[in-house]
Amino acid sequence: MQGEIVLVTGGAGYIGSHTVVELFNAGYTPVIIDDFRNSQPWVIDRIAKITKVAPIFHAIDCQDQTAVFEMVKNYKNALGLIHFAADKAVGESVQKPVQYYQNNIGSLCTVLNALKEFGINNLVFSSSCTVYGETDTPVVTEQSPVKKATSPYGDTKITCEKLIQFNAEALQYFGATLLRYFNPIGAHPSGLIGELPQGVPNNLMPYITQTAKGIREKLTVFGDDYNTKDGTNIRDYIHVVDLAKAHVKALQYLDDSAEKKCSIFNLGTGKGTSVLELIIAFENINQLKLNYEIGPRRIGDVAQIYANAEKAKEALDWACEFTLEDALKHSWNWEKGI
Ligand code: UDP
């Protein structure tokens, strides 16, 4: 139904903000819930610039049950909730495990309680291919085993997935989709929203763009002695706008499903790209040279992983529309503007 309300926790973040834009584009009314601990308030204005509508937002910490209940009770008729709000840095999670369990699991508990209390029955959850851990094969389907987590961050994703599955089993009217992202890159084609890493980036893409801009002196490629085509790690890089659109489709899928249950979807392109291939493609599309060197392996990196995303394609009627080159162009365009 046009104009239906969709609550979006973490809606000012990287994937959240792009999803808010796509919800508007699809005719929904997103309501952002974000305490800006890992995002910027001006992102809200940027969303308004793109969509020509000022989004409603609530500056609330999702761990604050009183505040969340006070807010959600005003949106009892919401179609559903998309839950992005979480801490997401693997390295930081090793340093601050309590914070990660408290925030990621605590926030989800609060959200699930609020949804139950106010009769909101559809949840889209932001998960990660990190749940597959050390994979047995480079390509993973939703049936591939969930392996023991190698970081507190990874374990919170596994635990949150389990909690949602149990909740869906316990409440017959509650449905959820668990979206396992591969490597989101790119930015909105307008250049108005994109990734805003705090401090030194952990992820490859922002490290590349910051090096190209001169913020970082040099990119280090973490190992070129893996058993892959050029020795560097292989990942599945997906444009953030394609990823955002999948959330809208996942919500529509829940809304259309007669039987409420919990479904899992891989969200990737299905194509593996090595670190060196990504660097070369970035240089070519943006007509520049990147300062990089080969360094030692990073602890915990799997050699290669990419998605079998056929289930999402079929069930959600979703497919990636942007190319890798589009994503690399949009990432650079965004970096130049910030
Ligand atoms: N990587 C790299 N240099 C960096 C950051 C990342 O070579 O400064 C590599 C990393 O080893 C991995 C790939 O880039 O193979 C993607 O890493 P990222 O942290 O972006 O995502 P991950 O797949 O680890 O979640």
Side-chain angles (χ1 to χ4, degrees), residues 180-240:
R180 292 179 178 163
Y181 314 152
F182 283 67
N183 292 56
I185 61 166
H188 195 266
S190 65
L192 288 167
I193 53 172
E195 191 170 5
L196 282 170
Q198 286 189 339
V200 182
N202 296 303
N203 295 114
L204 179 60
M205 198 64 238
Y207 211 105
I208 288 178
T209 56
Q210 289 196 6
T211 305
K213 201 178 179 185
I215 300 172
R216 310 280 154 215
E217 195 205 329
K218 190 184 282 181
L219 168 79
T220 303
V221 174
F222 296 144
D224 69 347
D225 57 352
Y226 286 94
N227 186 18
T228 59
K229 49 190 162 186
D230 60 19
T232 64
N233 286 160
I234 290 175
R235 295 288 183 272
D236 186 337
Y237 297 95
I238 176 172
H239 196 296
V240 66

Side-chain angles (χ1 to χ4, degrees), residues 291-327:
N291 190 18
Y292 70 90
E293 64 180 5
I294 308 294
R297 290 182 177 196
R298 180 171 71 177
I299 294 166
D301 275 338
V302 298
Q304 47 180 330
I305 179 167
Y306 55 95
N308 175 322
E310 290 305 313
K311 187 180 171 199
K313 272 192 197 160
E314 228 167 83
L316 305 182
D317 185 28
W318 163 86
C320 291
E321 291 162 20
F322 289 100
T323 63
L324 182 72
E325 282 71 24
D326 293 331

Side-chain angles (χ1 to χ4, degrees), residues 89-117:
V90 174
E92 186 189 47
S93 79
V94 177
Q95 304 303 319
K96 302 175 181 170
V98 177
Q99 176 190 311
Y100 270 69
Y101 282 86
Q102 199 159 25
N103 187 29
N104 293 3
I105 296 164
S107 292
L108 177 63
C109 290
T110 304
V111 162
L112 291 174
N113 277 331
L115 295 184
K116 186 176 175 209
E117 177 76 15

